[in-house]
Amino acid sequence: MTATAPTPPKPITSAKDPRFAPTLYAHVGQAESWTLAYYRQNGGYEPVRRAFAVGPDAVIDEVKKSGLRGRGGAGFATGLKWSFMPLKDGKPHYVICNADESEPGSFKDRYLLSEDPHQLIEGMIIAAYAMRASVGYIYIRGEYVHAAERIWAAIHEARTAGLLGQNILGSGFDFQLYVHRGAGAYICGEETALMNSLEGLRANPRLKPPFPAAAGLYGLPTTINNVETFCAATQILRYGADWHAGMGTEKSRGMKLFQVSGPVARPGVYELPLGTTFRELIYDWAGGPLEEMKAIIPGGSSCPMLPWTDATLDTPMDYESVAAAGSMLGTGGVTLIPQADCIVNATWNLVRFYGHESCGKCTPCREGISSWMTRMYQKLATGRGQPGDVQLILDMSDNIGGRSFCALADACLGPVLSSIKLFREEYDALATTQQPLYPARRRWRDR
């Protein structure tokens, strides 16, 4: 067994580079790509051999050096997160994959789960080895029935081949991996609510601290990462940290899966280097908008809207640049809002979602979002608005923001506050004349 990594290709810093090709999605859509035979024919489970050769501490150092940041939305440094796991506490350790993917506008992980499940399994083995974890769970969204079946089959294949279980590949490392299907609750995307659900409890978020690395699943040290993050770790161990660090920007390194939804010619998932501009994603890859646009949600529904301007379109899609523009990169779920749509109706749709998905644990979210905010938007959108309603929404937001138990209420306020800031005239029209500036259109499937 050797510690030598394959010779990586030269760094690719732009999707316009003629050598550019997908990495995480390299085999998505290929015949039998979900099988162990296909995966091993294409170099599968060689990265984990390299991990066993260099040792767990070196694996964490490699991930740190790569600059990989969590792809689930927060963008926290992955290697640093892995290093938080206590190493000599004598307790069992857990690794969990958050495959809930319930953020509106996000749909990248489902293809990794269903088309290349062994890439995820290998990434979890690597992470578990680095953090001395003996058990792992893949918490998958309840609606992903097909993906769950593919994952179950892949785990069975891996276990039969000696890639899971006792003494993996003769390394002396033991690791068991299981799948847990959720029931379709958005709140389970929050890591402590996810752990409660795994334990069979009501999916309410927990108070932090203690943080999961100290007291997570069953009160034991636990680390949770997103599907894309684990898959990226597999490729880092395949090609090396320098290869990954050579892509993207100085602080946002590597490639990212960006999702485009809305009226564009080619909606879908695109794997591009971090730092690619919105203009390049939307026009060069997604084929451009099919009608005039008014706003972009850059990273999933919880991210503040940005106006459809040249400045926004030329913003690099990395964590720092999007934050400087006034929003968040999040999961990379780029949603386009047409000019002809009423922004109040569009925001009401999101508010209804968050109101429905609130777990009800804390008063600001239970009463502020599920009750008051939802009813205020219903009042405006159904032609019963009154002067002062918009200011009341702003006052309510001041009493909700930063006061809820978890981030769900703040997630709802992202589109609420940004839409009022950018399109106040549309709100005022509904609050004074009871008539929207842009009448509601029939949905495309009703036309």
Side-chain angles (χ1 to χ4, degrees):
M1 195 180 294
T2 102
T4 304
T7 301
K10 292 182 179 179
I12 299 172
T13 57
S14 170
K16 295 180 180 178
D17 190 311
R19 297 171 295 116
F20 169 77
T23 304
L24 301 186
Y25 264 38
H27 303 290
V28 169
Q30 301 299 312
E32 304 296 315
S33 63
W34 55 89
T35 64
L36 178 60
Y38 178 97
Y39 188 67
R40 298 193 89 165
Q41 285 172 4
N42 290 275
Y45 291 104
E46 290 307 312
V48 81
R49 289 183 184 275
R50 180 174 177 245
F52 291 156
V54 301
D57 293 336
V59 170
I60 293 179
D61 289 341
E62 187 92 348
V63 175
K64 283 183 177 179
K65 184 180 177 183
S66 74
L68 176 64
R69 296 171 66 169
R71 301 299 197 232
F76 190 80
T78 303
L80 182 61
K81 186 174 185 178
W82 288 10
S83 70
F84 291 158
M85 184 74 85
L87 301 182
K88 297 181 180 180
D89 57 349
K91 299 178 181 178
H93 295 173
Y94 293 101
V95 292
I96 299 175
C97 174
N98 182 349
D100 194 62
E101 195 172 45
S102 49
E103 177 81 357
S106 181
F107 45 91
K108 59 186 173 62
D109 292 342
R110 65 187 300 178
Y111 299 107
L112 292 171
L113 292 163
S114 61
E115 298 290 316
D116 201 354
H118 284 283
Q119 184 179 199
L120 168 61
I121 293 170
E122 185 169 18
M124 293 193 69
I125 296 171
I126 291 168
Y129 177 68
M131 292 180 278
R132 285 77 163 177
S134 55
V135 178
Y137 291 93
I138 299 173
Y139 187 101
I140 191 167
R141 182 177 175 179
E143 294 89 341
Y144 284 1
V145 178
H146 177 61
E149 291 173 348
R150 286 274 173 86
I151 285 286
W152 275 321
I155 288 175
H156 177 72
E157 282 187 307
R159 190 174 288 128
T160 302
L163 299 164
L164 284 173
Q166 305 296 314
N167 192 26
I168 297 173
L169 295 174
S171 64
F173 175 63
D174 303 334
F175 180 63
Q176 297 289 351
L177 184 60
Y178 305 97
V179 177
H180 182 96
R181 287 186 62 198
Y186 174 79
I187 190 64
C188 289
E190 198 279 335
E191 61 181 11
T192 61
L194 183 155
M195 290 187 293
N196 271 353
S197 178
L198 257 175
E199 293 180 11
L201 304 174
R202 183 179 175 89
N204 286 344
R206 301 176 182 177
L207 183 66
K208 292 188 289 187
F211 293 96
L217 188 66
Y218 305 117
L220 296 169
T222 304
T223 296
I224 303 175
N225 280 122
N226 169 264
V227 173
E228 186 184 350
T229 309
F230 282 120
C231 291
T234 299
Q235 301 306 323
I236 290 168
L237 266 293
R238 180 188 301 277
Y239 294 118
D242 292 340
W243 164 80
H244 187 270
M247 297 181 291
T249 66
E250 181 180 355
K251 294 183 179 180
S252 298
R253 300 189 182 275
M255 302 249 253
K256 177 82 182 75
L257 297 174
F258 295 101
Q259 306 116 105
V260 184
S261 56
V264 293
R266 294 188 297 272
V269 185
Y270 298 92
E271 184 178 355
L272 304 171
L274 282 160
T276 302
T277 65
F278 287 104
R279 187 185 300 278
E280 185 176 347
L281 171 67
I282 294 168
Y283 284 90
D284 296 352
W285 293 91
L290 300 178
E291 55 186 288
E292 188 178 355
M293 295 293 152
K294 72 165 56 170
I296 298 176
I297 299 178
S301 66
S302 60
C303 300
M305 298 177 188
L306 295 175
W308 183 268
T309 63
D310 287 339
T312 296
L313 291 173
D314 291 330
T315 298
M317 294 185 298
D318 61 68
Y319 296 99
E320 290 72 32
S321 297
V322 178
S327 189
M328 301 179 293
L329 186 63
T331 62
V334 179
T335 304
L336 278 62
I337 301 176
Q339 179 66 46
D341 281 4
C342 173
I343 202 70
V344 181
N345 278 329
T347 309
W348 182 31
N349 190 41
L350 297 177
V351 170
R352 287 201 306 270
F353 170 80
Y354 286 106
H356 179 270
E357 295 298 327
S358 171
C359 73
K361 179 169 183 173
C362 66
T363 302
C365 194
R366 182 183 64 249
E367 302 299 330
I369 300 297
S370 296
S371 180
W372 278 95
M373 191 70 74
T374 303
R375 287 190 293 181
M376 286 301 299
Y377 268 89
Q378 182 180 26
K379 180 183 177 185
L380 283 173
T382 55
R384 296 180 289 116
Q386 296 177 338
D389 282 351
V390 182
Q391 186 58 47
L392 181 56
I393 291 176
L394 293 173
D395 292 342
M396 288 163 49
S397 299
D398 287 340
N399 289 324
I400 296 170
R403 291 172 170 81
S404 59
F405 198 87
C406 76
L408 188 144
D410 289 327
C412 178
L413 296 182
V416 167
L417 295 176
S418 59
S419 64
I420 294 176
K421 178 182 178 181
L422 295 173
F423 307 103
R424 178 67 181 259
E425 69 279 2
E426 295 191 36
Y427 280 85
D428 290 337
L430 281 168
T432 55
T433 67
Q434 290 78 48
Q435 293 295 323
L437 293 181
Y438 299 90
R441 298 187 300 171
R442 289 182 298 168
R443 294 172 296 180
W444 65 269
R445 59 175 172 268
D446 297 330
R447 293 174 183 172

